């Protein structure tokens, strides 16, 4: 999810994004600081371009692969997720929530973000009959309706272009995000437990020199702005007022 904030009435907008929307927002600010006065990333921090293709360093074992590798082959994840869209949506929303037990999140193979080679993304995901307090049955029904209509391929194709995006960003490999920035995540978000995040997040200011703050929300999972709407809104408004 990506959003533009123009609450300040300025010529330049502030861009905000969550999950894959966060890299879109970070890179929009990186490439066009003339158009974006600030940037807010939720869940996913800015990651500088590495020296090798991203998929070549994603974790994999004899028994399991990182979920982004599982998504690479067209049709495989689509078949699993579209078999029962309601189950897929409900499972994913609940399993990576801060309310879920850690063993119920993506990573049924024993490592965060891993999918068994002989299984699927949904294997082992906890599905509770009671939704988290921040999620309603109406929310689930809306998401189910949209994905039942459009399918999952559009979103999955983003993962299939990770290496291509890496190639295109070669001219900017040494660039830093130069505009004011804010990073917000939950301390129970599986993203912050991914390999390398323990070093990247504490040193984010090295790559985002105008980082105004890193906010880690206690007990919050992956769905940052939904699980902690009040706190996220307050932090974003405060950031905008200080620009």
């Amino acid at each position: 999810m990506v959003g533009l904030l123009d609450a300040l009435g300025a010529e330049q907008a502030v861009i905000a994004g969550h999950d894959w929307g966060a890299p879109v927002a970070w890179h929009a600010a990186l490439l066009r600081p003339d158009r974006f006065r600030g940037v807010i990333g939720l869940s996913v921090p800015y990651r500088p371009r590495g020296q090798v293709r991203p998929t070549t360093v994603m974790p994999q074992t004899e028994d399991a692969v990182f979920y982004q590798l599982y998504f690479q082959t067209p049709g495989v994840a689509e078949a699993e997720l579209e078999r029962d869209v309601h189950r897929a949506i409900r499972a994913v929303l609940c399993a990576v929530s801060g309310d879920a037990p850690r063993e119920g999140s993506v990573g049924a193979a024993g490592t965060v973000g891993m999918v068994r080679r002989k299984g699927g993304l949904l294997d082992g995901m906890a599905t509770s009959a009671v939704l988290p307090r921040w999620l309603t049955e109406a929310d689930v029904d809306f998401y189910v309706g949209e994905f039942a209509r459009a399918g999952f391929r559009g979103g999955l194709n983003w993962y299939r272009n990770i290496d291509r995006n890496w190639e295109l960003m070669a001219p900017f490999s040494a660039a830093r995000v130069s505009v004011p920035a804010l990073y917000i995540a939950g301390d129970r978000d599986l993203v912050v437990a991914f390999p390398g995040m323990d070093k990247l997040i504490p040193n984010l200011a090295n790559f985002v020199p105008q980082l105004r703050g890193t906010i880690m929300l206690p007990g919050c999972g992956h769905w940052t702005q939904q699980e902690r709407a009040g706190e996220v809104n307050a932090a974003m408004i405060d950031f905008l007022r200080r620009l």
Side-chain angles (χ1 to χ4, degrees), residues 70-81 83 119 153 156 160:
Y70 171 69
F71 291 159
Q72 292 303 306
T73 304
V76 174
E78 287 94 332
E80 179 192 5
L81 298 173
R83 189 173 300 120
R153 179 158 298 188
L156 291 168
R160 294 163 188 156

Side-chain angles (χ1 to χ4, degrees), residues 12-16 22 24-41 46 175-183 204-213 239 242-243:
Q12 295 171 302
V14 174
I15 188 167
V24 172
W26 290 118
H27 285 91
L30 175 79
L31 298 174
R32 295 301 303 266
D34 59 315
R35 297 295 299 272
F36 297 104
R37 189 177 178 184
V39 57
I40 304 170
Y46 174 70
R176 299 190 295 176
V177 177
S178 60
V179 301
L182 176 66
Y183 173 61
L204 193 55
N206 293 336
F207 313 107
V208 187
Q210 288 207 69
L211 183 67
R212 300 290 176 85
F239 173 76
R242 294 172 184 270
L243 287 178

Side-chain angles (χ1 to χ4, degrees), residues 52-73:
V52 298
R53 291 176 179 275
T55 59
T56 65
V57 293
M58 290 179 181
Q60 55 181 305
T61 67
E62 292 184 2
D63 301 320
V65 297
F66 193 55
Y67 75 100
Q68 296 182 22
L69 291 176
Y70 171 69
F71 291 159
Q72 292 303 306
T73 304

